[in-house]
Amino acid sequence: DVYKRQVSTQSTGVMKKEDIAQVAALLNSYVGNYRVAPSFTEDEVKHWIMPRKGVVFTYVVEKEGVVTDFVSFYSLPSTIIGHPKYDQLNAAYVYYYAAKTVPLKVLMNDMLIKARDEKFDVCNCVNILRNEDMLTDLKFMPGDGSLHYYFYNWKFPSAQPQEIALVTVSYTHLTLPTKRIV
């Protein structure tokens, strides 16, 4: 089956409280080269990226006690109306990540396996950050929506998707590149 994922991941474990400082430093370093990017404090990483059951899922790659890479996604379920068998679609949305020592495609494949294991039906991804580097290879299908940022009271020139590292948390009004998880 073309969409079948392997049984387990190669290198990721669930983020722990002890990882917050390293994840914050890694994330800020990783997104620091983008034209549009947030800067996270450790408290913000704890609030926004630390795993919370059923909400945010974050996995780290650790080598000799050092977090070298991480990947996260969040849950945004949708109600299915009028279907005789299913009443909910469990969607995972790619959130923040930093791929420093693990190739992005490998890190994202690991994330897809984790999402599948958490019983998600699909994975959605916006074409920001370096996401374009792995969308085709990992069999994401293009959506028909587009994401526009509006900065209130800011004058900011146009930016291409690959220049953006700001992930907004709710995409309920868009159809985005989607990956079916098998």
Side-chain angles (χ1 to χ4, degrees), residues 53-89:
K53 187 171 176 65
V55 179
V56 176
F57 302 78
T58 305
Y59 301 92
V60 297
V61 177
E62 205 169 358
K63 294 181 179 146
E64 299 176 11
V66 176
V67 175
T68 59
D69 309 78
F70 84 94
V71 64
S72 62
F73 61 92
Y74 64 92
S75 173
L76 190 60
S78 298
T79 301
I80 298 173
I81 300 171
H83 192 279
K85 186 174 178 183
Y86 301 104
D87 62 356
Q88 185 167 300
L89 177 71

Side-chain angles (χ1 to χ4, degrees), residues 169-180:
V169 178
S170 176
Y171 302 108
T172 57
H173 61 287
L174 299 176
T175 303
L176 303 168
T178 301
K179 170 73 180 146
R180 186 173 147 255

Side-chain angles (χ1 to χ4, degrees), residues 5-180:
R5 297 278 136 218
Q6 62 197 49
V7 176
S8 64
T9 61
Q10 299 176 28
S11 55
T12 53
V14 176
M15 180 183 171
K16 305 175 297 289
K17 284 185 181 181
E18 303 84 56
D19 299 327
I20 291 173
Q22 291 185 69
V23 168
L26 183 60
L27 176 59
N28 287 325
S29 169
Y30 193 78
V31 301
N33 295 321
Y34 290 87
R35 287 184 62 210
V36 180
S39 177
F40 285 92
T41 65
E42 289 180 22
D43 284 340
E44 290 166 332
V45 166
K46 181 180 177 184
H47 178 78
W48 291 106
I49 298 173
M50 186 70 194
R52 277 183 281 170
K53 187 171 176 65
V55 179
V56 176
F57 302 78
T58 305
Y59 301 92
V60 297
V61 177
E62 205 169 358
K63 294 181 179 146
E64 299 176 11
V66 176
V67 175
T68 59
D69 309 78
F70 84 94
V71 64
S72 62
F73 61 92
Y74 64 92
S75 173
L76 190 60
S78 298
T79 301
I80 298 173
I81 300 171
H83 192 279
K85 186 174 178 183
Y86 301 104
D87 62 356
Q88 185 167 300
L89 177 71
N90 292 316
Y93 283 75
V94 175
Y95 199 23
Y96 284 102
Y97 59 82
K100 293 277 191 171
T101 68
V102 175
L104 178 60
K105 188 168 79 171
V106 172
L107 191 65
M108 287 297 172
N109 188 64
D110 284 359
M111 186 215 64
L112 290 170
I113 293 166
K114 297 292 190 180
R116 179 209 55 209
D117 292 349
E118 291 287 345
K119 307 297 184 216
F120 283 89
D121 302 309
V122 297
C123 182
N124 291 331
C125 179
V126 182
N127 66 337
I128 61 172
L129 293 155
R130 288 182 40 217
N131 294 351
E132 286 289 332
D133 294 353
M134 56 82 188
L135 291 175
T136 302
D137 288 344
L138 292 178
K139 311 283 189 249
F140 278 80
M141 299 174 66
D144 59 4
S146 61
L147 181 63
H148 299 274
Y149 290 86
Y150 181 83
F151 295 108
Y152 291 92
N153 300 320
W154 282 39
K155 184 176 181 178
F156 194 88
S158 256
Q160 296 301 309
Q162 65 273 13
E163 298 174 308
I164 298 171
L166 180 63
V167 180
T168 58
V169 178
S170 176
Y171 302 108
T172 57
H173 61 287
L174 299 176
T175 303
L176 303 168
T178 301
K179 170 73 180 146
R180 186 173 147 255

